[in-house]
């Protein structure tokens, strides 16, 4: 039996995305580990992470990911551990020199202003490499 797999998707913006299965496994593992270590009855854990890959024109290839360490401040804002973020990016760049931060992921039901702060932290890390856009 032949199974057809369409590996890329086009968005309404004209961008083409390729999402490798490893990313789905990483994000699922990240969420599952945190949930398994949460007390019974606790709300679902919030997970944040970076998406790694490459961009060639309007084609974005998301090939890998890693989790972001963060804390929640008293006012509810997310405080990203910037030294950890930069160190992880450096480690991945050593092994996968052609992969840059192309985005980030989080769990939850809706985006808030708190998420915009994460975007502002992750974006400069992704733009520090020469091939990021």
């Amino acid at each position: 039996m032949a199974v057809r797999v369409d590996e890329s998707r086009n968005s309404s913006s004209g961008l083409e995305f390729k999402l490798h299965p490893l990313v789905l496994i990483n994000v699922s593992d990240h969420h599952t580990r945190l949930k398994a270590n949460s007390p019974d009855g606790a709300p679902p854990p919030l997970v944040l992470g970076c998406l790694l890959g490459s961009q060639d024109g309007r084609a974005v290839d998301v090939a890998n990911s890693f989790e972001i360490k963060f804390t929640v401040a008293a006012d509810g804002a997310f405080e990203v551990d910037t030294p950890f973020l930069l160190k992880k990016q450096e480690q991945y760049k050593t092994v996968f020199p052609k992969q840059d931060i192309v985005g980030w992921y989080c769990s939850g039901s809706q985006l808030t202003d708190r998420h915009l702060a994460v975007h502002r932290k992750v974006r400069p890390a992704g733009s520090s490499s020469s091939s990021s856009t």
Side-chain angles (χ1 to χ4, degrees), residues 60-78:
V60 180
D61 187 10
V62 184
N64 207 340
S65 64
F66 65 85
E67 54 196 71
I68 297 174
K69 285 186 180 179
F70 71 98
T71 55
V72 180
D75 64 356
F78 300 137

Side-chain angles (χ1 to χ4, degrees), residues 8-30:
S8 64
R9 297 278 186 243
N10 290 327
S11 72
S12 60
S13 67
L15 291 172
E16 177 184 326
F17 294 92
K18 286 187 177 181
L19 181 62
H20 293 253
L22 177 60
V23 177
L24 300 175
I25 292 168
N26 286 347
V27 173
S28 176
D29 173 68
H30 184 190

